[in-house]
Amino acid sequence: MECRLPFSLVVFCLVILSSTVRSELVISSVEKFVDLHSHIVRVVSFLKVENQGPYDVSEFVLAFPDAQAKNLATMLVIYLEEGKIIYSEFPINSTKPKLKQSNMTFYPVTLPKKLEKGKTAGLDVYVVLTNLLKPLPKEITQAESQLLVYTDNIYYTSPYHIRNQSIVFRLPGRIESYSEYSEMRLVESELRYGPFEEQPPFSYSPVVVHFENNNSFAVASNFVQEIEISHWGNVQVTEQYTIIHGGAHLKNGFSRIDYQANPSMSGASSFRTLVARLPPMSHSVYYRDEIGNISTSHLRGDSQGTQLEMELRFPMFGGWKISFSIGYSLPLHDFLFESDAGNNVLNITFGSSIEEIVVENQIVRVVLPQGSKDISVKSRFTTKKSQELKYSHLDIVGRPVVVLEKDNVVPEHKRYFQVYIYYKFNNIFLLGKAMMLILGIFLLFLICILYMHADLALSKTSSWEEETEGRK
Amino acid sequence: MGATSNASPAPLNSALSSFPSLKALKFTTKQQELLIRVSALALIYVLAFVVRLFSVLRYESMIHEFDPYFNYRTTLFLTKNGFSEFWNWFDSESWYPLGRIIGGTLYPGLMVTAALIHRILHFFSFAVHIREVCVLTAPFFASNTTLVAYFFGKEIWDSGAGLVAAALIAICPGYISRSVAGSYDNEGVAIFALLLTFYLFVKAVNTGSLAWSLASAFGYFYMVSAWGGYVFIINLVPLYVLVLLVTGRYSMRLYVAYNCMYVVGMLLAMQIRFVGFQHVQSGEHMAAMGVFFLLQVFYFLDWVKYILNDIKLFHSFLRITLTCAITVGVLALSIGTASGYISPWTGRFYSLLDPTYAKDHIPIIASVSEHQPTAWSSFMFDFHILLFLFPAGLYFCFKRLSDATIFVVMYGLTSMYFAGVMVRLILVAAPAMCLVSSIAVSATVKNLSSLVRAKSKSPQGSGKPLSGSKAAAKASADQSLPFQKNGAIALLLGALYLLCRYAIHCTWVTSEAYSSPSIVLAARGHGGGRVIFDDYREAYYWLRQNTPPDAKVMSWWDYGYQITAMGNRTVIVDNNTWNNTHIATVGRAMSSYEHEAYEIMLSLDVNYVLVVFGGVTGYSSDDINKFLWMVRIGGGVFPVIKEPDYLVNGEFRVDKGAAPKMLNCLMYKLCYYRFGEMTTEYGKPPGYDRVRGVEIGNKDIKLEYLEEAFTTSNWIVRIYKVKPPKNRW
């Protein structure tokens, strides 16, 4: 399989090369850093691109093997010219892969400025990948460490010719085994391959790293965030998680005495706490699950934000599952602004508040106040959008709910992705509920007064009673 | 709520109608009294609710203990799936492999009430969770009970006694013990229904009104739908009627009240599937029917007496009729019993009449701690001064004997007896104690205060002898004037002091003893801080999340309801102990050797075994302490299990001197597996059991057919996985 792959690639790339002008571009140097510290793989590649052709070039194509493209959570490209950042953008999702054939996926990047002939420019590509680390062995006991395997192409996968390249793996700890190449160096926890000179497009040679990684392997299979807006000045956020330990499964059961006696040795791959970074000014924080409150948590607040340290009900071992929900309130004025058109603009950050977690499926439900109109959503990435109604306290027509859904969310989404929701809301509706309550209580008193004044008896005296008493 | 809002507009109205003239704001004495009474009642109503919220403040809004979890689970089902689904629910998650027909084996009153409250709140668009409704149902009904107590007290004595009764019952620990927020159990609603039925019946007897009698029949219906304790009503009321007959207090009012209440109440009660035709078929209900017929005979005789004017003729007629009636009655009863149409008394009923019965014959009833005979200390704990006020109240009742006071005296005396037989029945006695005591307090304070006030006024004015002819007589007699007044003041202060002590005691008991959810345990740490042991929920949640959805869990029956409700897994036995054999099978498995137990577990498809173990934390109500009951119950059905095998010279031990069978039975192994490596207390050898206070006898426990699956952080709950059978080759 691995032998045939390069051949097919070469054939394929020839097809492409013959039909486009991209062949005129040459990558003069690539340095690729693969960060394997957590279960999220972060790859940074520093590219130097040279235009050798006769024309100016406005498009650059990034290529990924399907296995990676499928698990690509987000990508960030920075374009540098003469050392200066000219432009950065996030092509993933905003521009769908246009070309997809055989086992490669291509992401064409439109350069913000045409690369003139003979000129050189820098491209920094930051890619976040999930689900690529596979535990090996698949099942471990409580005492063992978790070992992971990462497979990649030792050469930078690209449709262009590359003159000089190297790849660096940054590892969290001990390395079990790795592919042997002549140009390689292992310094502490950094594994470097290269430099490799003059490689044709789509060069491929597999590299496998087998290493120890005991960092918490938290994967949220399901994450529902509900943001409820109240124009009285409060935002109530509720986050529901179903979290799975996605690492090597536990075998032979869990022994508490081993776990207690030496927590560092035993159960190294498990995690007991999760940390959520809540926005600043969060208050009324709670942490509970279906069967009640979870009393083991710590809350720390500073100007940067509020940190919620959640101790789970039980330590999470490979394959175990837990679900819980957290909730907090925020002041509204930090999130709601007024646009020029008189619209309300709600600015929310997408993503989970828990650090270093992969969300397989995220649903954000933004509950707008009753009576909101002309709702529109603007986000810089594609999500499934829908609208529904929710009935809460004293609602008559229901509150409109904007539902956004997205798969494969990583912490980077939180950092860069904003969602803007525009809607119109008349503040007079705020008084509606208060009036309803007043009216209700007034009615209650009215009924009482009427009842006290009404005479519901059929007859004033019970003649029957007198009769029977008389008979006695 | 109802009474507050009904009564309050009266002073309000009078004030409003004559608003322009400020003079009208001055209330007349009667209006003042009404205002004070209504506001006192409103305060009592709020107090009864608020005092029960300790557990919510201290822990959280959660369901307590064991049975409430079943009630909560069924209520959840009811709100989700509607009433008809609930009524026809076959629950396959409990009593595996038998299952349980929920609709036919429970009293639905509580669940329907909570679901109804939930529905009403949602109708008025208050989006509350059903859990909050369930948690607050008991306090809400406790508040309503205070209102009923007020009206009851008013009916039997006067409104002053009613107020005192409401105040006493609002904080009576005997009642609070079963009605704190979160104790979502039948009793919480049932005591309200019980008192309401009694009140309406007494009202019906006092007025002879068909309407009150019908209302009491509906009260009875609600009681039947809510709690098995309705048997108390259906026996006490006929007894009361009988006493009235014997004491010559028969009246038309009584005839109407009882007949209507019995017939309609019985027909209504038959609509509850769990009760069904018991009213005409079971021995426990026969007294009511007998009295019903007796009443007809009495009425007939009365009528004949009215027609016949000849006394002699009537006497001979009386003799014949009575003989015939008794013969027919006895004959019908004996034939019914012999043919099996009328079922004999159940074990629970027997154990009430004969406290030693359960111990000898039904270990499963005797094993429940709340079925134990009551200790004197718990009477003192639960009633405090009511215990002394009760006889005084009886004295006042006898002094002013009426149909109503006779009822309350009988209610008090019978319920006191039952409270002595079973701890949990203190609850039934609590309202009676409060009512009778309130008469004592009210009458005494009234007498004393009238004494004091009579003196403070001008000597020629006779004061205002409110009640108690004795006090009035004394006041007019003017003997040893200053001494009497001072004495009255001192006594008043004494009464005030006593009542204050009562209030303090009740608050203390509520906060210390009755507000613990017993799912979450709290203890004082070394630094004086509160340490929380949340092991139960940890284990149940682990079961819920990390076992296959169809896994069957075997545990002692105590934890059955909690496992199904919180763990959402199928259990073999649970707290509805309807099948003794099934429980005995589990008891047998727990007390057998591992390989024998494995056979039993395989035959029951058990995947996980759950045990509760307190040896690390010192939590004493664990499975090792309950173990002898497992042996007894198991041995009751399977004679292979013999209690002496687990004892050494009649002593239950777990240390080196323990019986060999004890050291190797499944329960011992599961509780103490790898406990021998654990140091629990400084200066003690490893494997030191902090509950039993000994070093365990078998430290080298090997499990062959089970493996440890999960142990909670304080070792309180331990879960083991049953290994699949080995291949034969």
Side-chain angles (χ1 to χ4, degrees):
Chain A
M1 184 66 196
E2 271 145 6
C3 307
R4 230 184 303 152
L5 191 70
F7 175 71
S8 65
L9 286 182
V10 168
V11 172
F12 172 65
C13 73
L14 283 175
V15 175
I16 294 182
L17 296 184
S18 58
S19 61
T20 65
V21 290
R22 286 184 197 114
S23 60
E24 310 300 341
L25 286 178
V26 166
I27 300 176
S28 55
S29 80
V30 180
E31 205 167 19
K32 180 173 167 185
F33 292 90
V34 182
D35 186 355
L36 299 174
H37 272 87
S38 75
H39 58 307
I40 301 170
V41 179
R42 295 184 171 87
V43 181
V44 193
S45 316
F46 301 107
L47 287 82
K48 281 218 165 58
V49 185
E50 201 179 320
N51 185 359
Q52 293 187 328
Y55 311 106
D56 296 352
V57 176
S58 62
E59 200 172 54
F60 182 80
V61 175
L62 294 169
F64 292 96
D66 272 355
Q68 286 190 6
K70 204 170 63 202
N71 294 306
L72 201 153
T74 184
M75 176 158 64
L76 171 70
V77 180
I78 298 170
Y79 182 68
L80 304 108
E81 208 165 60
E82 285 149 10
K84 275 189 288 183
I85 297 175
I86 301 292
Y87 190 72
S88 62
E89 66 168 337
F90 336 98
I92 179 89
N93 281 339
S94 56
T95 58
K96 282 236 158 62
K98 273 183 193 151
L99 297 157
K100 192 173 181 303
Q101 242 165 329
S102 81
N103 43 19
M104 281 285 162
T105 307
F106 296 96
Y107 295 92
V109 180
T110 312
L111 299 178
K113 210 174 130 199
K114 282 194 173 178
L115 184 59
E116 290 162 27
K117 54 182 179 185
K119 282 274 175 84
T120 307
L123 266 180
D124 295 354
V125 183
Y126 182 64
V127 180
V128 182
L129 301 154
T130 57
N131 295 328
L132 282 181
L133 297 174
K134 300 284 175 230
L136 186 87
K138 283 210 165 69
E139 280 190 334
I140 53 170
T141 62
Q142 190 179 329
E144 285 169 329
S145 269
Q146 177 173 273
L147 296 173
L148 301 177
V149 173
Y150 178 72
T151 316
D152 203 350
N153 184 3
I154 197 159
Y155 304 116
Y156 190 76
T157 311
S158 173
Y160 307 104
H161 183 88
I162 303 170
R163 291 211 182 111
N164 187 339
Q165 60 177 311
S166 60
I167 183 165
V168 178
F169 295 99
R170 289 187 171 145
L171 304 166
R174 197 170 60 83
I175 185 158
E176 184 83 8
S177 67
Y178 48 90
S179 306
E180 297 278 349
Y181 281 89
S182 52
E183 298 94 347
M184 59 160 287
R185 205 152 39 112
L186 177 66
V187 183
E188 284 178 6
S189 59
E190 211 176 81
L191 183 64
R192 175 184 283 270
Y193 290 97
F196 304 105
E197 309 269 333
E198 300 296 342
Q199 292 295 329
F202 297 110
S203 302
Y204 182 84
S205 181
V207 59
V208 178
V209 192
H210 192 198
F211 60 100
E212 184 185 289
N213 185 342
N214 283 323
N215 289 310
S216 65
F217 223 100
V219 179
S221 62
N222 221 320
F223 169 44
V224 181
Q225 189 180 37
E226 188 170 288
I227 302 168
E228 200 167 328
I229 310 294
S230 159
H231 273 246
W232 290 100
N234 193 43
V235 181
Q236 170 68 38
V237 185
T238 315
E239 301 181 351
Q240 280 175 17
Y241 292 93
T242 303
I243 288 179
I244 292 171
H245 187 300
H249 285 222
L250 178 73
K251 69 175 179 195
N252 292 347
F254 161 66
S255 165
R256 175 68 66 172
I257 188 158
D258 291 337
Y259 186 73
Q260 274 174 344
N262 201 342
S264 59
M265 285 286 289
S266 168
S269 67
S270 69
F271 58 92
R272 178 101 220 223
T273 49
L274 288 172
V275 179
R277 283 217 150 265
L278 309 179
M281 308 289 285
S282 304
H283 61 96
S284 314
V285 181
Y286 68 81
Y287 166 43
R288 56 173 299 134
D289 58 26
E290 290 151 285
I291 61 170
N293 194 31
I294 307 162
S295 43
T296 45
S297 58
H298 302 282
L299 190 68
R300 288 190 196 89
D302 55 39
S303 58
Q304 295 295 308
T306 314
Q307 190 172 313
L308 176 67
E309 238 181 81
M310 295 172 284
E311 199 167 315
L312 305 175
R313 277 210 195 271
F314 43 83
M316 292 286 287
F317 282 89
W320 284 15
K321 188 180 84 160
I322 197 165
S323 58
F324 58 86
S325 59
I326 58 176
Y328 47 91
S329 292
L330 299 164
L332 182 70
H333 54 78
D334 288 358
F335 301 90
L336 193 73
F337 307 96
E338 206 150 293
S339 76
D340 303 329
N343 278 334
N344 289 302
V345 186
L346 186 71
N347 174 6
I348 57 167
T349 315
F350 204 81
S352 150
S353 52
I354 294 182
E355 289 179 339
E356 208 56 17
I357 191 169
V358 177
V359 181
E360 286 178 350
N361 178 294
Q362 173 167 3
I363 296 172
V364 179
R365 296 161 50 86
V366 184
V367 184
L368 300 173
Q370 188 173 242
S372 303
K373 281 181 299 189
D374 303 338
I375 302 157
S376 61
V377 182
K378 203 177 111 189
S379 63
R380 305 186 67 169
F381 54 101
T382 48
T383 51
K384 270 189 247 165
K385 288 171 208 156
S386 58
Q387 273 199 32
E388 51 188 64
L389 280 178
K390 184 194 171 180
Y391 291 91
S392 187
H393 297 293
L394 296 173
D395 285 343
I396 296 168
V397 293
R399 306 179 187 192
V401 182
V402 178
V403 184
L404 307 169
E405 196 176 344
K406 186 176 176 357
D407 288 343
N408 213 358
V409 181
V410 289
E412 272 75 7
H413 284 110
K414 190 176 169 65
R415 209 165 302 157
Y416 302 114
F417 284 0
Q418 299 288 334
V419 181
Y420 297 95
I421 297 174
Y422 296 85
Y423 64 97
K424 280 206 168 82
F425 179 72
N426 196 340
N427 276 335
I428 203 81
F429 285 124
L430 280 179
L431 297 174
K433 284 182 185 177
M435 292 311 292
M436 262 170 68
L437 278 178
I438 290 167
L439 207 72
I441 291 167
F442 176 72
L443 271 177
L444 189 75
F445 275 93
L446 202 71
I447 290 166
C448 286
I449 290 168
L450 286 179
Y451 175 78
M452 290 302 285
H453 282 259
D455 191 357
L456 298 174
L458 291 176
S459 64
K460 287 289 166 214
T461 54
S462 177
S463 56
W464 187 85
E465 201 171 308
E466 284 162 16
E467 192 184 295
T468 51
E469 289 301 313
R471 237 186 72 186
K472 273 247 84 157
Chain B
M1 242 339 239
T4 319
S5 45
N6 281 350
S8 59
L12 199 78
N13 277 347
S14 57
L16 274 178
S17 55
S18 50
F19 186 65
S21 59
L22 275 168
K23 246 196 288 178
L25 278 176
K26 251 177 140 185
F27 297 124
T28 62
T29 320
K30 209 176 162 194
Q31 281 174 328
Q32 275 179 354
E33 195 262 348
L34 183 71
L35 187 66
I36 290 174
R37 185 146 45 95
V38 166
S39 42
L41 211 54
L43 283 178
I44 289 168
Y45 191 87
V46 174
L47 171 75
F49 191 84
V50 167
V51 79
R52 285 165 169 83
L53 298 182
F54 268 113
S55 61
V56 172
L57 295 182
R58 202 162 291 167
Y59 295 90
E60 60 184 273
S61 164
M62 69 185 291
I63 308 286
H64 292 187
E65 303 214 323
F66 303 101
D67 289 15
Y69 270 96
F70 169 75
N71 301 332
Y72 174 57
R73 179 167 158 249
T74 46
T75 313
L76 213 59
F77 187 90
L78 174 60
T79 45
K80 265 190 201 140
N81 302 304
F83 187 73
S84 94
E85 281 286 308
F86 170 72
W87 208 230
N88 296 315
W89 181 19
F90 179 80
D91 177 25
S92 55
E93 277 204 357
S94 56
W95 293 93
Y96 183 85
L98 306 168
R100 177 180 175 187
I101 304 156
I102 296 284
T105 57
L106 92 172
Y107 294 102
L110 178 71
M111 297 90 193
V112 172
T113 307
L116 205 66
I117 295 174
H118 184 248
R119 181 77 68 82
I120 290 169
L121 286 175
H122 272 256
F123 176 76
F124 287 109
S125 63
F126 290 101
V128 288
H129 193 269
I130 182 69
R131 184 187 55 245
E132 320 299 342
V133 176
C134 291
V135 164
L136 297 179
T137 297
F140 174 62
F141 272 88
S143 288
N144 295 339
T145 309
T146 61
L147 289 187
V148 179
Y150 166 72
F151 287 111
F152 205 169
K154 197 176 160 192
E155 191 64 30
I156 54 174
W157 202 258
D158 56 17
S159 59
L163 266 187
V164 177
L168 289 181
I169 203 164
I171 53 171
C172 178
Y175 183 28
I176 285 183
S177 69
R178 289 310 187 111
S179 62
V180 290
S183 117
Y184 177 58
D185 211 344
N186 292 334
E187 289 94 325
V189 173
I191 291 305
F192 165 75
L194 178 93
L195 209 58
L196 186 71
T197 312
F198 283 157
Y199 162 65
L200 292 171
F201 183 70
V202 167
K203 186 97 183 166
V205 170
N206 276 350
T207 58
S209 146
L210 211 55
W212 287 114
S213 172
L214 202 64
S216 106
F218 275 97
Y220 178 65
F221 171 59
Y222 187 50
M223 176 70 190
V224 173
S225 76
W227 193 35
Y230 76 88
V231 177
F232 180 61
I233 299 184
I234 203 66
N235 283 299
L236 179 66
V237 169
L239 192 67
Y240 166 64
V241 173
L242 200 65
V243 167
L244 286 193
L245 289 186
V246 168
T247 52
R249 285 175 164 268
Y250 170 78
S251 64
M252 236 8 237
R253 294 176 281 116
L254 181 68
Y255 183 79
V256 168
Y258 183 71
N259 282 335
C260 174
M261 187 265 183
Y262 177 66
V263 173
V264 179
M266 179 175 74
L267 288 176
L268 284 172
M270 284 181 184
Q271 311 310 311
I272 306 295
R273 267 168 73 195
F274 192 31
V275 177
F277 288 107
Q278 278 188 33
H279 276 78
V280 289
Q281 286 192 340
S282 122
E284 287 137 37
H285 302 73
M286 279 303 128
M289 189 181 269
V291 168
F292 173 69
F293 285 121
L294 192 67
L295 214 57
Q296 310 312 319
V297 172
F298 218 88
Y299 182 73
F300 177 65
L301 287 173
D302 207 36
W303 179 69
V304 169
K305 194 178 168 189
Y306 181 70
I307 301 284
L308 292 175
N309 280 327
D310 190 351
I311 291 291
K312 215 178 159 193
L313 207 63
F314 174 70
H315 270 290
S316 55
F317 181 76
L318 181 74
R319 206 169 301 136
I320 296 167
T321 324
L322 272 185
T323 324
C324 285
I326 290 171
T327 321
V328 168
V330 170
L331 216 66
L333 197 68
S334 49
I335 288 174
T337 315
S339 64
Y341 180 76
I342 298 172
S343 63
W345 290 350
T346 58
R348 261 168 220 252
F349 200 72
Y350 262 123
S351 62
L352 276 179
L353 300 179
D354 173 12
T356 56
Y357 179 81
K359 211 174 166 190
D360 300 334
H361 295 92
I362 328 165
I364 199 143
I365 291 180
S367 73
V368 182
S369 61
E370 61 184 21
H371 289 168
Q372 305 300 321
T374 317
W376 265 110
S377 57
S378 57
F379 268 119
M380 196 59 212
F381 198 64
D382 279 351
F383 290 136
H384 201 240
I385 61 162
L386 301 186
L387 218 50
F388 307 109
L389 292 174
F390 182 65
L394 286 184
Y395 164 75
F396 281 105
C397 284
F398 276 112
K399 265 192 66 186
R400 210 175 91 180
L401 217 53
S402 68
D403 288 357
T405 46
I406 290 180
F407 182 84
V408 86
V409 166
M410 288 186 57
Y411 174 29
L413 290 177
T414 46
S415 62
M416 272 303 273
Y417 167 73
F418 289 126
V421 175
M422 250 189 210
V423 174
R424 72 191 293 203
L425 293 183
I426 279 195
L427 179 72
V428 176
M433 293 289 274
C434 292
L435 280 170
V436 176
S437 308
S438 74
I439 292 172
V441 172
S442 170
T444 314
V445 171
K446 218 167 202 173
N447 286 352
L448 290 173
S449 55
S450 72
L451 268 181
V452 173
R453 288 182 59 172
K455 293 298 162 329
S456 63
K457 281 190 179 166
S458 56
Q460 62 263 39
S462 64
K464 221 176 167 192
L466 280 162
S467 77
S469 52
K470 208 172 169 183
K474 266 188 186 171
S476 54
D478 274 11
Q479 1 166 292
S480 63
L481 219 120
F483 179 72
Q484 199 181 41
K485 188 185 172 187
N486 289 344
I489 291 173
L491 281 176
L492 264 183
L493 286 176
L496 186 73
Y497 174 75
L498 269 184
L499 290 173
C500 287
R501 291 307 309 178
Y502 175 70
I504 292 167
H505 172 81
C506 290
T507 319
W508 176 77
V509 167
T510 310
S511 88
E512 291 296 312
Y514 291 141
S515 293
S516 159
S518 91
I519 288 286
V520 183
L521 312 163
R524 293 247 168 266
H526 290 294
R530 210 161 71 120
V531 188
I532 283 191
F533 300 127
D534 206 354
D535 287 40
Y536 278 111
R537 289 195 294 185
E538 181 182 342
Y540 297 145
Y541 207 59
W542 183 83
L543 274 178
R544 189 187 186 107
Q545 299 280 343
N546 294 308
T547 56
D550 60 345
K552 285 105 198 159
V553 183
M554 183 173 91
S555 72
W556 191 233
W557 61 263
D558 296 22
Y559 316 108
Y561 278 165
Q562 292 177 350
I563 294 172
T564 41
M566 284 194 271
N568 197 18
R569 292 294 174 265
T570 308
V571 293
I572 307 295
V573 291
D574 67 26
N575 308 42
N576 174 35
T577 53
W578 64 276
N579 187 332
N580 192 33
T581 315
H582 218 48
I583 293 180
T585 312
V586 173
R588 183 185 175 186
M590 293 295 189
S591 40
S592 305
Y593 292 121
E594 196 187 344
H595 63 274
E596 294 165 356
Y598 186 61
E599 299 278 313
I600 298 172
M601 291 190 291
L602 282 187
S603 70
L604 287 174
D605 283 354
V606 173
N607 304 106
Y608 291 89
V609 184
L610 181 147
V611 294
V612 171
F613 171 61
V616 176
T617 46
Y619 172 62
S620 62
S621 50
D622 67 349
D623 277 350
I624 291 286
N625 278 359
K626 289 174 185 169
F627 182 62
L628 275 189
W629 287 112
M630 301 180 203
V631 172
R632 269 174 216 155
I633 291 168
V637 177
F638 305 101
V640 212
I641 307 294
K642 295 182 200 69
E643 194 178 334
D645 290 352
Y646 300 89
L647 303 175
V648 180
N649 302 326
E651 205 187 337
F652 180 62
R653 301 174 66 164
V654 294
D655 58 353
K656 276 206 176 61
K661 180 128 199 206
M662 178 71 211
L663 291 180
N664 288 296
C665 70
L666 185 71
M667 178 54 75
Y668 191 94
K669 278 185 152 184
L670 297 187
C671 282
Y672 291 120
Y673 178 64
R674 297 196 69 187
F675 183 64
E677 303 163 33
M678 170 104 176
T679 309
T680 52
E681 224 171 290
Y682 182 73
K684 292 281 195 289
Y688 179 77
D689 184 326
R690 293 177 69 181
V691 174
R692 265 66 56 177
V694 289
E695 189 184 346
I696 59 166
N698 184 358
K699 285 192 186 177
D700 185 35
I701 293 170
K702 294 269 186 298
L703 289 173
E704 201 179 332
Y705 300 100
L706 295 114
E707 66 178 11
E708 186 179 5
F710 188 76
T711 299
T712 57
S713 47
N714 299 301
W715 290 54
I716 290 178
V717 185
R718 309 195 69 179
I719 301 170
Y720 293 84
K721 190 173 188 231
V722 180
K723 288 184 190 164
K726 282 193 189 108
N727 286 333
R728 236 169 265 170
W729 297 284

